Amino acid sequence: MKILLVDDEEELVSTLAERLSLREIDADWVTTGEDALKRVDTENYDLAVLDVKIPKISGIEIKKKLAVKCPDMKFIFMTGHGSEDNFKAGSAEAGPEYYLPKPVSIKTLIKKINDVLRK
Amino acid sequence: MQSLKPKFWDHEDVASGPSKDLFNFRRIWKMTVLLTAGVAIVPLILVATIDYNVTQQAIESEILLRTSRLVSNTKRAISFFLKERMSALDFINQDNSFDELSNPARLKEILKNLKQGFGGFVDLGVIDASGRQQTYVGPYKLEGKDYRDQEWFKKVLRRSIFISDVFMGFRKVPHVVIAVKQELSNGSFYVLRATIDTERFNELLSKLELAGLGDTFIINHDGILQTPSRYHGRVFGKIFLPVPNYAERTQVFEEKDLNGKALIVGYAYLTQTPFILMIIKHKGELMKPWYRTRLVLILFLTISIFIILVVTLGVVTYLVESIYVADRQRVMTLHEVEYSNKMASIGRLAASVAHEINNPLAIINEKAGLIKDLFILREGYVKDKKLVDLVDSVIYSVERCAAITRRLLSFTRGMELNIQLLNLEEVINEVFGFLSKEAEYRSIAVSVDAPADIPQLENDRGSLQEIFLNLFNNAFAAMSDEGHLEITVRQQDLNHVSVTVADDGSGIPQSDVKRVFEPYFSTKTKQGGTGLGLFITYGLVKKIGGTISVHSEVGKGTSFFITLPLHIKNEESNG
């Protein structure tokens, strides 16, 4: 199981990746959409955790592009729930069950990851 | 009186500047009532007054005219009566020579004929130029009586014809003397003198039909009654009225009687006689029909004015009230727009702040989580309970912050209804979360009684949150420390749930209870209340298809009772 974390907050994704690694989940992180798209060229990921609100390319755009490149890839959205619109977009794209509000506890995240991958 | 007072009466408008009179409804009302009623009533009173005066004058002049006619006719009748007798005497003079008349038998014959032909003749005498009554026929012994120095004899010499004042005769019957002078061919003369009973006069006068206290009589030039009168004394009495001035024609004037009542007096001087014919009528009696008409006129005027006033007041009050209500509606709408704009701004601000905080919060969360991970995974720290507790405390605080930001974010101010399935108890607890700290500080006990079998309802979370937040805030403001707030949720029927929010606060006076949902009605103005909270709550409840009512007792507390539909109808959600 290999996971890609995409969030413009480097402090957040790097720590989250480290914590997942401590729980023996292989996780990489990038801070931009471009990096994410480049990274999937060289690595295979089962699942991507995307922040909805990322500068330049939004999480939703990134998901659309990644889905084209990697049809088997699953997605989970994380958001600070900036606005009602953001929330609606996130849950419409991924389904409300794949939506996690920030801050998220590591247990909830891992449970959600397992749930998504099991489907 | 209080219940008749229109709503706008005590309205004090805050508007100022040049258009401030535009919203002074009491002034508008007064001006309109004054103008409308004035335009209708003033001409009415004017026409009525003119009509009143014209009619009264017409009736008065008609009365004077009628009196004048009556006097003239009566004067003619009496004049004719006297003239007839004077002519008779004249005829006797022409028909008989002095010698014939000096013959008592002949004179007696003539008197008999006069009595038969004319009536009223009592005696007849012939007086020679020296003033001695040469021949006399009648009831007295007047033969040979010398009239030379008597006033009437002197007058008859001057005027040829003389009619005396009435005098009391031998049989205590009033009489009048008519004397006619006849010139003789030898330059001498004689006088034929007759006494006439005035009974015939009286008959003529009594035949006149005068209403009520009307009276007619004859006086001499000294104001002494010559005929009996009904109300002004007996024969030879003096009337209370002054003797009217001489006038050739009939005159009518107004006078007051001894009691001050108005009289209409008509009189005419009878030519060649010492008599004045007088007819007296009481004006009040003659005007009676007019007084009745006048009463009807005044009654009609009063009723008209009353109707005009009632209609004017009614219509103007209705119109001004409508304008007032429309204006209130306008102001309310303006404020509502202002309020929802403000709320939307606050909502957006809260959402963006929450979002900005969530990211650093997430970092703190992950960093603290990593620290804890490291502690747990490394043997050296795992037994250090204090360190683990510290990290747990940080993580717990982050969770609390996250709960707050999440609540802020979910607190969407209901601009647009977002219908979803909701658990009412959850929504209530969520809202109560905002006030939990205050409840804790003030030791306010809050109990939420919601049976587990209450079905979920389809409704808008934002609206419900705002409704409950307003009600809870109100309850908190009304309660003193250590108060009790009870929230009870019940299924009312198949399609409705009810929520009762009952506090044991200060309560609302009965007079204010029905006004609590009105905009700008606030008892908390000094504490910064806008008076819009319950008004907006009421609007929101209506918008989501519910009803709200209030029950309150001063000193015991206030309960708000809300019913909500389980399924919101489309038109309601669109509205």
Side-chain angles (χ1 to χ4, degrees), chain B residues 98 100-111 115 121-128 132-147 152 167 169-171 175 177-178 191-196:
Chain B
F98 179 61
E100 276 172 326
L101 290 176
S102 299
N103 176 3
R106 172 73 187 140
L107 202 60
K108 199 172 183 177
E109 177 79 17
I110 292 171
L111 178 63
K115 276 182 179 173
F121 282 90
V122 176
D123 61 10
L124 203 59
V126 178
I127 299 147
D128 64 17
R132 203 178 65 85
Q133 182 146 273
Q134 197 160 359
T135 321
Y136 172 81
V137 284
Y140 312 110
K141 294 213 176 300
L142 296 174
E143 217 160 299
K145 193 169 165 50
D146 187 0
Y147 290 113
W152 70 266
F167 64 95
F170 178 69
R171 284 170 298 164
H175 290 91
V177 165
I178 301 177
V191 171
L192 184 64
R193 174 191 175 278
T195 307
I196 296 170

Side-chain angles (χ1 to χ4, degrees), chain B residues 63 194 215 258 275 335 396 439 514:
Chain B
I63 286 170
D215 207 351
L258 297 173
F275 302 139
H335 280 278
Y396 173 69
K514 59 184 174 194

Side-chain angles (χ1 to χ4, degrees), chain A residues 7-9 11-12 14-16 18-19 22-23 51 53 79-84 86 88 101-106, chain B residues 351-352 354-356 358-359 361-363 365-367 369-370 373-374 377 398-399 402 405-406 409-410 412 416 418:
Chain A
D7 194 318
D8 56 325
E9 292 279 358
E11 288 287 328
L12 180 67
S14 60
T15 316
L16 202 55
E18 196 177 343
R19 293 188 75 192
L22 285 174
R23 285 164 178 78
D51 186 20
K53 200 177 167 192
T79 179
H81 189 182
S83 69
E84 190 74 359
N86 245 343
K88 279 183 188 160
K102 278 184 188 175
V104 64
S105 79
I106 192 83
Chain B
S352 85
H355 178 245
E356 291 311 315
N358 270 348
N359 276 328
L361 215 51
I363 295 167
N365 189 44
E366 296 314 326
K367 295 287 181 193
L370 182 56
D373 288 351
L374 294 176
L377 298 174
V398 168
E399 273 168 20
T405 54
R406 224 166 277 153
L409 285 168
S410 69
T412 49
E416 186 183 306
N418 176 18

Side-chain angles (χ1 to χ4, degrees), chain B residues 81-90 93 121 123-125 127 147 149-167 175-182 189-196 201 220-222 226 270-275:
Chain B
F81 175 84
L82 292 171
K83 189 91 186 162
E84 201 179 33
R85 274 138 193 87
M86 284 190 286
S87 304
L89 293 181
D90 198 33
N93 279 342
F121 282 90
D123 61 10
L124 203 59
I127 299 147
Y147 290 113
D149 296 326
Q150 296 229 343
E151 200 55 39
W152 70 266
F153 187 71
K154 290 175 185 164
K155 280 183 184 167
V156 83
L157 294 189
R158 280 203 300 275
R159 295 184 206 159
S160 300
I161 286 177
F162 168 77
I163 296 174
S164 76
D165 284 0
V166 174
F167 64 95
H175 290 91
V176 65
V177 165
I178 301 177
V180 180
K181 180 180 157 191
Q182 178 66 39
F189 67 89
Y190 69 92
V191 171
L192 184 64
R193 174 191 175 278
T195 307
I196 296 170
F201 260 33
N220 66 11
H221 292 185
D222 298 324
Q226 305 292 295
L270 302 172
T271 40
Q272 291 184 325
T273 76
F275 302 139

Side-chain angles (χ1 to χ4, degrees), chain B residues 41 44 298-310:
Chain B
I41 290 173
L44 181 69
I298 290 170
L299 201 72
F300 175 78
L301 185 69
T302 313
I303 291 173
S304 301
I305 290 173
F306 178 74
I307 291 173
I308 289 172
L309 281 179
V310 166

Side-chain angles (χ1 to χ4, degrees), chain B residues 204-236:
Chain B
L204 269 176
L205 296 180
S206 65
K207 272 182 197 158
L208 295 180
E209 283 179 11
L210 293 173
L213 297 172
D215 207 351
T216 173
F217 48 81
I218 291 171
I219 56 169
N220 66 11
H221 292 185
D222 298 324
I224 304 296
L225 281 161
Q226 305 292 295
T227 61
S229 77
R230 273 195 255 177
Y231 306 104
H232 295 85
R234 305 163 68 120
V235 185
F236 305 130

Side-chain angles (χ1 to χ4, degrees), chain B residues 327-340:
Chain B
D327 182 62
R328 290 280 79 198
Q329 210 83 44
R330 180 186 65 87
V331 173
M332 244 185 273
T333 313
L334 272 181
H335 280 278
E336 251 179 279
V337 168
E338 210 173 283
Y339 179 83
S340 40

